[in-house]
Amino acid sequence: MLTRKQHELLMFIHERLKEAGVPPSFDEMKDALDLRSKSGIHRLITALEERGFIKRLPNRARAIEVVRMPESMTPAVPMMGRMAAGVPIDAIQNHSHSIPIPPDMLSPGEHFALEVRGDSMIEAGILDGDTVLIRRGDSADTGDIVVALVDEEEATLKRIRKKGASIALEAANPAYETRIFGPDRVRVQGRLVGLLRRY
């Protein structure tokens, strides 16, 4: 049985090997797991090696091989950082780590997760600190809650409404006003399909 951090590290190494063909550096692992020092990573790697999940290859820097994955292989999606459900913040950051998602929450297609910051969607049941599960895609119907990229620089979580040629991004909190843009200023990044909350 793996601890949460061991599972996170194993998933991160596995994803990185799949994407780049090389394992992440200790610094990248430390940042992805939000640890203060590399010694924590050394302990996690040793634990994964002792349990037979990974193998370190001698005489080679950064040489780690994933030997097996946990039996209860929960699907994981990339966590793309924090995002405003209020004042838009900078465009979605890079993939920091992966988080396990219950399989029944995933539909066909590519997904990613974002941590919500702000209270503009509280009446839709989306609170500050929640993690939203987004299905990547560039189309949405009126009324869908989407991650929208405004002017290629600010990402925000809002309900989309198409009004003639313009696009309205609507908050679910009366304290925030609806913002209206021309169609060339808004790019849909994906649609809300799930919500994860820690109590």
Side-chain angles (χ1 to χ4, degrees):
M1 191 66 192
L2 295 178
T3 67
R4 192 169 61 84
K5 282 288 185 204
Q6 288 166 0
H7 189 274
E8 266 180 42
L9 181 61
L10 183 61
M11 292 307 297
F12 181 65
I13 294 169
H14 177 67
E15 296 274 323
R16 186 55 67 87
L17 280 166
K18 222 166 51 177
E19 283 168 17
V22 291
S25 69
F26 274 70
D27 276 321
E28 289 170 326
M29 294 184 218
K30 176 174 76 75
D31 294 344
L33 270 73
D34 216 12
L35 295 177
R36 285 192 190 83
S37 71
K38 289 187 205 169
S39 62
I41 294 294
H42 282 285
R43 278 196 297 279
L44 290 170
I45 284 187
T46 303
L48 287 171
E49 196 173 28
E50 284 168 357
R51 288 169 174 76
F53 288 99
I54 62 170
K55 193 164 80 185
R56 277 189 275 200
L57 308 173
N59 311 320
R60 288 193 21 224
R62 284 175 65 161
I64 297 173
E65 187 183 2
V66 175
V67 182
R68 70 187 178 96
M69 296 300 275
E71 280 77 31
S72 64
M73 199 44 229
T74 327
V77 300
M79 172 60 97
M80 301 302 276
R82 293 195 176 103
M83 180 192 146
V87 183
I89 56 167
D90 289 342
I92 300 166
Q93 295 122 357
N94 294 334
H95 170 187
S96 57
H97 61 289
S98 294
I99 60 165
I101 298 287
D104 58 351
M105 284 182 81
L106 297 174
S107 52
E110 197 186 332
H111 295 74
F112 60 91
L114 290 163
E115 187 184 332
V116 174
R117 285 271 160 257
D119 62 358
S120 75
M121 296 303 286
I122 54 175
E123 290 187 5
I126 302 166
L127 310 181
D128 185 43
D130 283 350
T131 297
V132 288
L133 180 63
I134 306 293
R135 180 164 182 242
R136 198 182 288 278
D138 55 9
S139 64
D141 297 323
T142 285
D144 285 347
I145 295 175
V146 299
V147 173
L149 192 62
V150 179
D151 295 332
E152 295 298 320
E153 60 187 30
E154 45 181 24
T156 186
L157 184 73
K158 293 287 178 290
R159 193 175 298 282
I160 195 167
R161 300 236 182 255
K162 294 169 184 168
K163 297 181 176 177
S166 54
I167 292 174
L169 296 178
E170 205 175 79
N173 178 339
Y176 292 84
E177 59 188 43
T178 297
R179 298 168 75 209
I180 296 171
F181 301 95
D184 53 336
R185 293 186 58 200
V186 176
R187 207 156 51 83
V188 173
Q189 304 270 279
R191 215 161 37 81
L192 176 75
V193 292
L195 182 74
L196 302 159
R197 178 172 299 155
R198 285 199 183 93
Y199 287 99

